[in-house]
Amino acid sequence: MMNKVILIGRLTRDPELRYTPSGAPVAGFSLAVDRQFTNRQGERETDFINIVVWQKLAETCANHLSKGRLVAVDGRLQIRSYDDNQGIRRTIAEVVANEVKFLDRPKESQQGVPPKGSSIAEGESFGSEISFNEEEIPF
C-alpha cells in the first residue's frame, strides 16, 4: 500500500506553532494549490489543503515561512476525527509533511533562510516517520 502526497502551492497564512503536552513541536498551515484545469467560466480552481509538520521541521517552518511563500510539500494524507467546542464530531483531511522545500525567497532578505530550492533543514533528514498520539494534536 502507498500513501504519498506531493504538493506545490502558496501558504494562505503564517504557520501556527504549538507544543503538545509532552513538549513536541507541531505547526500547521494551509496551502493554496491550483488545479490543472479551469471551470466553465474559464477560471482556475484552487484547493486549500491543511498541512501539519512535526518536531524540528515544525519549528523551522514557523521561523522561516510566512503567508504567500511558495513551497513544495512531500508527505502523507491523514484523515482524523475530533469533537469541536459544541461536542459535534468533525472529520478533517490534512497532509502530514515529511519534507518541506522553499521554492522562492522571502520578500525581505532574512539571514538564515535556505537558498531557493533547498531543503529547509539542509543536512538534516526529516524523512523518517514520527509517531505521536492523535489526542496530543493541539488544533
Side-chain angles (χ1 to χ4, degrees):
M1 290 185 254
M2 185 185 313
N3 182 351
K4 185 167 182 79
V5 176
I6 299 172
L7 301 167
I8 296 176
R10 294 199 179 273
L11 273 72
T12 63
R13 59 184 167 90
D14 292 346
E16 183 180 336
L17 179 65
R18 296 186 182 181
Y19 294 88
T20 66
S22 63
V26 58
F29 56 90
S30 180
L31 206 60
V33 180
D34 286 340
R35 295 185 187 168
Q36 291 291 334
F37 61 90
T38 57
N39 62 20
R40 291 181 184 177
Q41 291 78 28
E43 302 165 340
R44 278 195 177 260
E45 293 186 11
T46 303
D47 291 309
F48 299 93
I49 301 165
N50 293 324
I51 310 295
V52 177
V53 290
W54 288 87
Q55 304 297 349
K56 191 172 270 188
L57 182 57
E59 293 174 330
T60 303
C61 286
N63 290 332
H64 297 293
L65 290 178
S66 58
K67 180 179 177 178
R69 293 292 305 275
L70 183 66
V71 298
V73 173
D74 180 356
R76 64 180 170 82
L77 181 63
Q78 173 177 280
I79 311 295
R80 64 179 175 91
S81 298
Y82 67 96
D83 294 328
D84 69 9
N85 294 339
Q86 291 80 34
I88 299 171
R89 192 77 168 160
R90 303 282 184 187
T91 301
I92 186 169
E94 58 199 5
V95 173
V96 178
N98 296 323
E99 185 176 4
V100 176
K101 290 191 177 189
F102 294 167
L103 299 179
D104 66 358
R105 294 188 183 272
K107 290 191 179 13
E108 301 111 23
S109 180
Q110 296 177 1
Q111 275 193 316
V113 174
K116 181 179 178 180
S118 68
S119 295
I120 56 177
E122 197 165 322
E124 295 185 40
S125 173
F126 294 105
S128 60
E129 197 66 28
I130 299 170
S131 62
F132 60 93
N133 181 347
E134 287 186 5
E135 292 175 0
E136 288 186 332
I137 298 174
F139 46 85

